[in-house]
Amino acid sequence: MQRAGHDNGLIVFKLERERPAFATHLDQLYYVKDKYVRQYDFNTKNDVGVLSVRKLGSQYVPPRTLSFNPAERAVAVQSTHDGGIFDVATLGRETAAGSDLKDSTLDGKRGAGNCAIWVARNRLVVLVKSTQASRPYDHSTTKIKYFSR
Amino acid sequence: MIEIRDLSNAVMKTIKSPVQANELFYGGTSNVLITTSTNVVLYDVQQQKVLSELAASPVKYVVWSPDNQMVALISKHSTDPFAQDRFLRV
């Protein structure tokens, strides 16, 4: 968190979204922490890493959303990096020898898009905003005006 | 533009979004909630049909109840709960 003080007041910038990308299914919570998708069991409080998303997007920007597909144990993890990218990957399973941790870049598939959501076992809905690109531009011009004051 | 993809990430279908979409959220099986800066639209991607529409300030998070009967739309300054049947009736 960064703060900038001024005679007229104070602005607070958040460098990261405070709420991580997460999804719940029954008693399981799937969330992104330190570039890993982790699985947390509400009952046993067991917390394990199930997928690496290290190479998804920028090193410093955590993924924004995570959508879980319970039928296939697959996730879609989305990052705002590069105009929006996402990885689709199935999660590793815990074995007796330890968990086989997969990497979303190596074991999954990558696509471009701003939101990626599972709506059925074999259906992922992706919003592609590159075709409607007028709004962010307006936004940045108003910001520039504000800072140069 | 909205793409429908399968498990192997292949594009099965491309749909033109019915509204100027900001973000997509889960809306129940085969449905998505499309948020715009003024509205939330419940959209059936299978039939490509708008099921209902609500006025709401820009939504940041959507939380469904475990039985999928209620949904909370969380925006920057407010949280609005809606019953799914009310959503469908609007």
Side-chain angles (χ1 to χ4, degrees), chain A residues 21-111:
Chain A
F22 74 99
T24 51
H25 178 249
L26 304 176
D27 293 335
Q28 310 286 334
L29 168 72
Y30 298 88
Y31 68 105
V32 180
K33 186 185 176 191
D34 301 332
K35 288 269 164 183
Y36 283 90
V37 176
R38 301 184 66 86
Q39 179 184 7
Y40 178 80
D41 188 301
F42 291 126
N43 298 323
T44 62
K45 299 193 165 46
N46 188 22
D47 189 356
V48 285
V50 282
L51 180 76
S52 162
V53 287
R54 239 171 342 128
K55 298 194 189 80
L56 175 72
S58 153
Q59 194 183 341
Y60 306 106
V61 182
R64 198 176 139 92
T65 61
L66 184 154
S67 180
F68 181 64
N69 177 344
E72 299 287 339
R73 244 177 92 75
V75 287
V77 187
Q78 195 265 340
S79 166
T80 51
H81 183 73
D82 221 2
I85 54 168
F86 64 90
D87 276 351
V88 176
T90 49
L91 299 178
R93 283 193 187 278
E94 266 189 292
T95 57
S99 70
D100 58 328
L101 194 67
K102 290 184 177 178
D103 187 301
S104 69
T105 311
L106 302 172
D107 303 299
K109 298 263 170 57
R110 179 157 295 176

Side-chain angles (χ1 to χ4, degrees), chain B residues 6-53:
Chain B
D6 65 6
L7 263 173
S8 58
N9 204 19
V11 179
M12 294 161 77
K13 210 191 295 176
T14 313
I15 308 168
K16 194 181 178 305
S17 174
V19 286
Q20 182 85 1
N22 253 357
E23 268 191 271
L24 293 185
F25 296 96
Y26 182 70
T29 305
S30 291
N31 298 342
V32 284
L33 289 172
I34 308 175
T35 64
T36 72
S37 40
T38 52
N39 282 18
V40 179
V41 175
L42 184 64
Y43 185 70
D44 185 327
V45 288
Q46 200 106 39
Q47 301 178 60
Q48 300 184 25
K49 209 171 96 184
V50 173
L51 299 177
S52 68
E53 203 165 344

Side-chain angles (χ1 to χ4, degrees), chain A residues 123-142:
Chain A
R123 271 210 167 60
L124 182 73
V125 181
V126 179
L127 173 67
V128 181
K129 279 215 260 191
S130 50
T131 46
Q132 42 169 18
S134 60
R135 233 192 52 147
Y137 198 80
D138 290 356
H139 196 63
S140 67
T141 44
T142 45

